[in-house]
């Protein structure tokens, strides 16, 4: 008789617990299938690391078991599955922390295991029954109010007292991480050059809305209200981020620009020069985090003749949106998210618009993406079935990148079938489509390249209908009044928008620290593949994101709202552990490669 999923998972965890506590590597490895993956977020490796196969798992356990001291593996709820396929949620402890795990069994053996650190023992967040009192119920003369104490602390930090951590970049990534660090008692300053929190959203083109649905986009601790729109407008998001910094009581230095950073080896701290509202200030944190999104500087191709253009030209990051473009001709170079949005915005405001598509693009209809790709994790139906945001984040992370494509390919194959007429119409309009090099669709393109796709929220229909014209090919040159393609096609223009993406985020390091430090860190984002378009050594995790880099005390944080929320937990715990002087030996530090 086949054991129930719960019984099978309990038996596996009990034997795994026994083997690890006994330091029985052979016994532990016998519990893993021939094909197996262990993805660890900080709990065993003080790193974000994927181990592939028994040999890699053996090496990690041999090097880490004595320090980690794992124990207490147990189910946190009944397991699920049918036949020989079982999924289970588990809790466990290490010497330093408490963890949460997700397990998949095939024929009684582990296929995938995700282990995550959730809190450090002795350094837990003061929440729930452990929350602070907030007031001393004792009347004394000269008592200071909460506001007075807050203002005094803010006035000291960065001047009389130095922060332990400085975060450069005050968008959603920077403030989400700062919120976690504050709850852990890590003195932190967020440096943001814009005048107000949320300006990185407010300053974008007028029509910008989130392309991801609301259930996917919550910030740490503070979820959007349940009447929040599925796709929020940029200014609404900007206002939310501004209020978040206040509610979470962050030390947020707006109107502040970092001009230089260097590491003082003798003192073991960073020297970070900033200009705050016109005043030079030098900060000396132990840890420095760059939280500047997923990209570097705007990528503006150097087309011949661009300086001779008589109209307006700017990168998509500078496009304000709105205005009256009646009777004007606009050429948008690019075919990704921002290109589509800007084409739609210009068409709405009267322009005659042409999109220049230089390479194939993946298009996913928003409705189909929400239903087929995200619906089981981030939706009302997911919530109704008990999949919380925290569980959804774990499930999303539970499939290692090596096998994620095979899980995604059926989703996008179904999308292609379901939306066949839509795709046929786009092809008939001359649009060059793809579903990724291996058919795995949008999310894998995002992980590998950070570009190459559009989530359709209406602009595709403009192309299908011919309301936005389409030209394909590379740009040869720009004249005083036109964009000229390699085949000789001339596109008359009063406005040129370069929706040509961004360089590597590594470029921020080169300019603010040094080219040598940027090269030591190596490429950020992407995880390597065997395809010519994305060469490089295989990395089981995104390069340099949310984990130790090859430069001590230097970290990279970013990603979309979902990634910023989820991975900020693990980065915050790594920083807290270092502040408290815990031993944090990093297993499997990645080599530097593909600098800038």
């Amino acid at each position: 008789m086949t054991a129930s999923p719960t019984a099978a998972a309990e038996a596996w965890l009990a034997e795994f617990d026994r083997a690890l506590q006994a330091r029985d590597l052979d016994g532990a490895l016998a519990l893993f299938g021939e094909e197996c993956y262990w993805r660890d977020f900080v709990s065993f490796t003080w790193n974000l690391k994927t181990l592939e196969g028994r040999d890699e798992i053996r090496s990690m356990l041999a090097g880490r078991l004595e320090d980690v001291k794992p124990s207490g593996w147990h189910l946190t709820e009944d397991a699920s599955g049918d036949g020989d396929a079982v999924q289970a949620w588990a809790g466990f402890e290490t010497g330093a922390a408490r963890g949460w795990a997700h397990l998949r069994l095939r024929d009684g053996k582990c296929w995938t295991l995700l282990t995550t650190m959730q809190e450090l023992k002795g350094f837990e967040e003061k929440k729930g029954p452990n929350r602070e009192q907030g007031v001393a119920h004792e009347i004394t003369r000269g008592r200071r109010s909460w506001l007075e104490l807050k203002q005094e602390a803010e006035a000291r930090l960065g001047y009389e007292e130095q922060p332990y951590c400085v975060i450069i970049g005050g968008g959603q990534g920077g403030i989400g991480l700062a919120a976690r660090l504050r709850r852990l008692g890590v003195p932190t300053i967020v440096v943001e050059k814009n005048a107000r929190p949320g300006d990185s959203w407010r300053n974008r083109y007028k029509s910008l809305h989130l392309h991801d649905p609301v259930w996917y986009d919550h910030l740490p601790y503070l979820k959007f209200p349940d009447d929040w729109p599925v796709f929020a407008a940029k200014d609404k998001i900007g206002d939310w981020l501004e209020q978040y910094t206040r509610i979470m009581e962050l030390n947020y230095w707006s109107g502040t620009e970092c001009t230089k950073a260097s590491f003082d080896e003798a003192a073991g701290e960073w020297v970070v020069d900033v200009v705050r509202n016109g005043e030079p200030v030098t900060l000396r944190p132990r840890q420095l985090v760059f939280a500047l999104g997923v990209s570097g500087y705007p990528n503006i191709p150097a087309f011949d003749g661009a300086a001779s253009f008589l109209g307006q030209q700017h990168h998509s990051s500078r496009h304000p949106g709105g205005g009256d473009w009646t009777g004007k001709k606009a050429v948008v170079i690019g075919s990704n998210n921002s290109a589509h949005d800007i084409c739609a915005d210009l068409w709405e405001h009267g322009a005659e618009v042409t999109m220049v598509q230089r390479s194939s693009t993946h298009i996913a209809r928003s409705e189909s993406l929400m239903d087929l790709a995200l619906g089981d994790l981030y939706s009302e139906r997911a919530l109704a079935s008990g999949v919380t945001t925290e569980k959804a984040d774990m499930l999303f992370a539970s499939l290692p990148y090596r096998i994620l494509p095979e899980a995604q390919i059926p989703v996008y194959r179904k999308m292609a079938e379901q939306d066949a007429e839509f795709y046929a119409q786009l092809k008939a309009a001359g649009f060059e489509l793809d579903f990724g090099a291996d058919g795995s669709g949008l999310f894998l393109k995002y992980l590998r390249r950070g570009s190459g796709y559009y989530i359709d929220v209406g602009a595709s229909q403009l192309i299908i209908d011919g309301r936005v014209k389409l030209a394909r090919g590379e740009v040869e040159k720009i004249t005083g009044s036109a964009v000229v393609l390699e085949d000789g096609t001339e596109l008359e223009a009063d406005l040129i928008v370069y929706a040509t993406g961004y360089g590597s985020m590594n470029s921020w390091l080169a300019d603010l620290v040094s080219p040598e430090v940027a090269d030591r860190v190596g490429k950020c984002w992407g995880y390597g593949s065997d395809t010519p378009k994305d060469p490089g050594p295989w990395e089981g995790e995104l390069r340099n994101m949310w984990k130790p880099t090859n430069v001590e005390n230097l970290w990279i944080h970013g990603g979309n709202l979902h990634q910023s929320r989820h991975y900020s937990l693990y980065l915050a715990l790594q920083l807290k552990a270092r502040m408290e002087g815990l031993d944090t030996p990093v297993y499997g530090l990645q080599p530097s490669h593909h600098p800038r």
Side-chain angles (χ1 to χ4, degrees):
M1 181 176 178
T2 304
S4 70
T6 295
E10 283 179 333
W12 191 95
L13 289 171
E15 182 57 24
F16 191 53
D17 193 16
R18 183 209 64 77
L20 294 186
Q21 292 202 56
R23 310 299 186 258
D24 177 6
L25 296 188
D26 289 337
L29 270 293
L31 296 168
F32 288 80
E34 187 172 338
E35 180 193 8
C36 56
Y37 305 87
W38 183 343
R39 195 176 191 195
D40 180 63
F41 290 172
V42 186
S43 61
F44 276 68
T45 60
W46 290 108
N47 198 354
L48 272 63
K49 184 71 177 174
T50 296
L51 308 159
E52 301 185 4
R54 294 172 181 163
D55 288 346
E56 288 191 10
I57 293 172
R58 178 186 289 275
S59 294
M60 185 276 286
L61 289 176
R64 295 295 301 128
L65 267 183
E66 286 300 325
D67 286 336
V68 175
K69 298 179 174 59
S71 64
W73 296 79
H74 64 282
L75 287 181
T76 56
E77 59 185 74
D78 288 344
S80 62
D82 56 58
D84 294 318
V86 172
Q87 291 195 58
W89 296 97
F92 66 98
E93 293 190 11
T94 69
R98 299 178 186 87
W100 191 22
H102 183 271
L103 169 70
R104 287 187 182 88
L105 300 179
R106 283 180 169 177
D107 300 324
K109 304 284 188 180
C110 177
W111 176 42
T112 69
L113 175 63
L114 170 67
T115 50
T116 69
M117 181 182 289
Q118 294 292 307
E119 63 179 4
L120 291 162
K121 293 178 179 177
F123 305 104
E124 297 84 356
E125 294 183 4
K126 295 178 180 179
K127 61 183 181 181
N130 296 321
R131 72 181 77 217
E132 293 179 344
Q133 186 72 15
V135 64
H137 290 157
E138 179 181 346
I139 307 302
T140 59
R141 288 178 174 171
R143 277 198 304 174
R144 286 171 295 172
S145 69
W146 166 84
L147 181 59
E148 289 170 326
L149 292 171
K150 177 175 180 288
Q151 290 172 336
E152 289 171 9
E154 288 175 347
R156 288 195 305 270
L157 192 63
Y159 296 94
E160 299 172 28
E161 300 172 3
Q162 288 300 317
Y164 180 75
C165 178
V166 164
I167 300 171
I168 299 176
Q172 68 262 12
I175 66 172
L177 175 60
R180 291 198 186 276
L181 290 172
R182 187 186 181 283
R183 298 252 300 218
L184 287 168
V186 179
T188 301
I189 290 175
V190 180
V191 171
E192 170 57 47
K193 66 179 180 180
N194 284 311
R196 294 166 56 196
D199 276 352
S200 55
W201 284 89
R202 293 188 191 94
N203 294 341
R204 298 298 302 280
Y205 48 90
K206 179 180 176 182
S207 62
L208 178 63
H209 284 64
L210 287 178
H211 286 200
D212 299 321
V214 62
W215 309 279
Y216 185 74
D217 290 335
H218 297 298
L219 272 65
Y221 309 117
L222 193 61
K223 292 181 171 62
F224 295 119
D226 58 10
D227 68 342
W228 199 261
V230 175
F231 302 106
K234 69 178 182 73
D235 295 288
K236 191 175 182 70
I237 291 294
D239 288 349
W240 180 264
L241 297 180
E242 185 169 20
Q243 296 307 316
Y244 186 89
T245 64
R246 294 174 180 167
I247 293 168
M248 304 308 291
E249 300 177 33
L250 306 184
N251 294 301
Y252 192 96
W253 284 18
S254 58
T256 304
E257 185 172 6
C258 176
T259 57
K260 193 66 179 174
S262 60
F263 192 69
D264 183 337
E265 297 283 353
E269 60 193 23
W270 286 92
V271 180
V272 182
D273 293 327
V274 304
V275 178
R276 186 185 190 191
N277 298 319
E279 176 193 357
V281 181
T282 297
L283 301 172
R284 299 188 70 96
R286 291 281 179 176
Q287 308 289 342
L288 181 61
V289 180
F290 283 84
L292 295 166
V294 298
S295 306
Y297 297 114
N299 179 27
I300 304 177
F303 294 129
D304 287 344
S308 69
F309 183 65
L310 300 175
Q312 297 182 43
Q313 57 181 325
H314 52 243
H315 189 265
S316 57
S317 60
R318 300 293 183 185
H319 185 70
D324 183 5
W325 290 95
T326 304
K328 301 292 186 180
K329 295 181 179 180
V331 174
V332 177
I333 301 173
S335 55
N336 293 336
N337 264 334
S338 60
H340 280 80
D341 283 351
I342 291 169
C343 283
D345 174 76
L346 287 166
W347 179 85
E348 283 185 81
H349 291 88
E352 181 182 321
V353 186
T354 300
M355 173 187 288
V356 177
Q357 185 183 29
R358 300 188 298 164
S359 59
S360 66
T361 310
H362 172 58
I363 306 292
R365 293 180 62 247
S366 177
E367 294 83 358
S368 300
L369 192 70
M370 286 195 298
D371 178 32
L372 300 175
L374 296 176
D376 290 339
L377 297 178
Y378 302 98
S379 68
E380 293 298 330
R381 83 165 184 254
L383 289 171
S385 67
V387 180
T388 63
T389 302
E390 292 73 23
K391 276 190 173 182
D393 290 347
M394 288 281 285
L395 286 167
F396 217 133
S398 68
L399 284 175
Y401 291 151
R402 179 76 77 178
I403 59 175
L404 185 58
E406 70 185 59
Q408 294 288 294
I409 288 169
V411 172
Y412 289 93
R413 187 179 295 130
K414 186 173 182 180
M415 189 180 295
E417 295 171 357
Q418 178 176 293
D419 296 331
E421 182 178 353
F422 167 75
Y423 290 120
Q425 290 174 335
L426 271 175
K427 289 179 181 177
F431 198 89
E432 186 179 358
L433 290 162
D434 70 55
F435 277 81
D438 53 5
S440 58
L442 188 148
F443 193 66
L444 268 298
K445 266 205 160 188
Y446 170 69
L447 292 173
R448 290 165 174 161
R449 296 174 46 194
S451 63
Y453 56 86
Y454 167 58
I455 301 172
D456 179 40
V457 291
S460 289
Q461 194 62 46
L462 297 178
I463 295 171
I464 290 169
D465 295 342
R467 288 176 285 176
V468 167
K469 297 175 183 178
L470 182 67
R472 282 176 48 192
E474 291 294 337
V475 175
E476 180 178 306
K477 64 180 180 179
I478 294 174
T479 68
S481 59
V483 174
V484 182
L485 304 185
E486 283 182 333
D487 64 2
T489 301
E490 290 196 23
L491 306 172
E492 292 185 19
D494 300 295
L495 168 69
I496 301 172
V497 180
Y498 299 98
T500 46
Y502 298 80
S504 170
M505 65 182 77
N506 196 292
S507 58
W508 299 113
L509 303 182
D511 283 357
L512 294 177
V513 186
S514 71
E516 293 75 22
V517 163
D519 287 349
R520 280 173 59 197
V521 170
K523 186 175 181 180
C524 301
W525 204 260
Y527 54 82
S529 77
D530 298 324
T531 65
K533 290 184 178 180
D534 187 21
W538 171 258
E539 290 289 346
E541 299 293 335
L542 289 179
R543 299 182 183 116
N544 285 308
M545 300 302 299
W546 315 296
K547 60 183 179 178
T549 68
N550 284 297
V551 175
E552 190 175 1
N553 298 10
L554 177 64
W555 309 80
I556 310 293
H557 177 59
N560 59 25
L561 281 157
H562 150 253
Q563 290 170 308
S564 293
R565 173 187 66 246
H566 186 209
Y567 290 97
S568 61
L569 168 63
Y570 311 114
L571 178 49
L573 289 169
Q574 291 173 82
L575 294 169
K576 174 65 172 178
R578 285 161 173 77
M579 188 186 86
E580 299 298 344
L582 302 184
D583 190 22
T584 57
V586 178
Y587 182 86
L589 188 67
Q590 71 181 34
S592 293
H593 50 73
H594 288 290
R596 289 178 288 139

